[in-house]
Amino acid sequence: MTVPAREQEPGTTCTLHPGADGAGVVRRTVLPGGLRIVTETMPTVRSVAFGIWAGVGSRDESIEDAGASHFLEHLLFKGTPKRTALEMSSLMDAAGGEMNAFTGKEYTCYYARVLDSDLPLAIDVVSDMVTSSLIESQDVEAERGVILEEIAMHDDDPTDAVHDEFAAALFGDTPLGRPILGTVESIGALGQDRIARYYRERYVAHNLVVSAAGNIDHDEVVRLVEAAFEGSRGEAGRAPSAPRIGGPGAVPNLGVRSIDRPTEQANLILGTVGITRTDERRFALGVLNAALGGGMSSRLFQEIREQRGLAYSVYSYNSQYADTGTFGVYAGCLPAKVDEVLEICRDEIAKVAEHGITAEELDRGKGQLRGSFVLGLEDTGSRMSRIGKSELVYDSLLSVDDILARVEAVTLDDVREIGREVLGRPMTLSVIGPFDGRDFTL
């Protein structure tokens, strides 16, 4: 177990993982105002990924603030007292770098990928926009229109929209059940004053994590970040915010949410409440997910697509949050085939819930998890994301070897137990397609 950031003395640096031969060394510095800086060295590459993670997402929003986290993601690119939006983008383009951001249910990240020689530029530009955004009225109005277009584009794609409908069906009118983008009504109602206040209250040093991975020196990153955060370091002696662990949990709203649209294909998700991201059984659930619908050899893919040709896309997935999670099966098929596809999904879920998986599926699922995890860490961006997100939402950073060992330790009994618990729960169904008010029953 690594030392939790809130227990580390402000102004000190510790090594979270020693790495080997100078590679993979993960270090953390906690500045006096509670800002955390975590880095991982990758000396064999010529690039750097730099990110700033804010511990705020859509589930932190009141009804009046719905969509504010994502609204801010847009506004922080619109300029600071130091640079206009065009100047920021021109600097990154001239360096051949890329800069972007994303908003989740529980965090927001702003990041850049550049050549290692351009690290000072990336730190300066991203830190400036995160700490010193102007949030001006004309920018709010301009981006309001952009976000409304984004919502319309999202709603026009049923493969995206069905996931929002499933969250709304499963969690109801709660922050987890509402869309990250907000709604047309909520975005239309958000004013400049409210967004600016949300920004000032949430984007504070102790609620931020800076992460960097690539051909870097930790001490140099700390020096550059300290300079970039001059005037935004927070209250001296303030401890970092505690990781988002635990909470009230979620009681599923069981039933069916059917949206009638004149689409050529029906899109559906059948699922239920899952487990939290700190639940030790998450590795067993990952193996189960791989066997049920996580790849081309999975039960759902073989039965629905390969054997019967009923769908082009079919898969299962699980997502975890601080206090709850989701497990779902997605399929897109011709409207006339939806009953057959649903029946197969229910049957395969019931089989795994009652009997678990086979030894062959266990080995294949472990291999899939190991391979996808390790291969996903082959670039600086994924390494930066892993250490930044872990610092924000976990109490410790597991090493790659620790995670692989926990995957390997999963047994058939472990999978059977978590399958019986999660897949044995009553299911929620969301459907989008041309069904003219048809009553789907579970």
Side-chain angles (χ1 to χ4, degrees), residues 206-378:
H206 62 270
N207 202 36
L208 300 176
V209 169
V210 171
S211 62
N215 188 21
I216 55 175
D217 175 76
H218 179 83
D219 293 335
E220 180 191 14
V221 173
V222 171
R223 178 179 58 80
L224 292 168
V225 169
E226 283 188 297
F229 271 73
E230 184 68 40
S232 302
R233 298 182 188 177
E235 178 185 351
R238 179 68 182 262
S241 297
R244 193 194 295 261
I245 296 174
V251 177
N253 293 297
L254 306 177
V256 178
R257 189 178 181 94
S258 178
I259 307 298
D260 182 49
R261 289 190 188 173
T263 56
E264 295 295 320
Q265 190 179 53
N267 289 266
L268 62 94
I269 295 179
L270 179 67
T272 188
V273 167
I275 61 176
T276 70
R277 63 167 163 261
T278 54
D279 193 318
E280 287 299 319
R281 301 172 300 168
R282 65 189 183 275
F283 303 101
L285 186 60
V287 173
L288 182 155
N289 178 63
L292 179 62
M296 293 176 66
S297 64
S298 66
R299 295 188 182 192
L300 289 171
F301 191 93
Q302 285 295 311
E303 188 68 23
I304 292 176
R305 174 168 167 163
E306 293 295 288
Q307 300 299 323
R308 308 196 194 194
L310 295 173
Y312 174 76
S313 180
V314 56
Y315 59 85
S316 63
Y317 67 94
N318 69 93
S319 304
Q320 282 108 36
Y321 306 111
D323 54 347
T324 186
T326 59
F327 189 96
V329 170
Y330 165 86
C333 63
L334 291 174
K337 305 292 186 182
V338 70
D339 290 322
E340 189 175 358
V341 169
L342 265 174
E343 183 180 2
I344 295 170
C345 291
R346 293 191 186 102
D347 287 346
E348 294 301 328
I349 288 172
K351 289 175 185 176
V352 175
E354 184 176 357
H355 304 294
I357 63 176
T358 67
E360 181 182 356
E361 288 174 320
L362 177 72
D363 291 339
R364 195 162 60 233
K366 288 181 182 181
Q368 185 177 336
L369 256 62
R370 289 195 303 265
S372 61
F373 172 64
V374 174
L375 292 176
L377 295 177
E378 292 296 300

Side-chain angles (χ1 to χ4, degrees), residues 134-189:
L134 293 173
I135 317 292
E136 294 186 325
S137 297
Q138 63 267 28
D139 293 329
V140 170
E141 295 310 313
E143 287 308 303
R144 192 191 313 278
V146 173
I147 294 170
L148 291 174
E149 291 291 339
E150 188 176 358
I151 291 173
M153 180 177 68
H154 180 84
D155 289 346
D156 277 347
D157 186 346
T159 60
D160 286 339
V162 73
H163 286 86
D164 279 349
E165 297 300 337
F166 176 69
L170 186 65
F171 295 119
D173 188 20
T174 67
L176 277 180
R178 300 181 198 127
I180 292 173
L181 300 181
T183 64
V184 171
E185 294 75 21
S186 69
I187 295 303

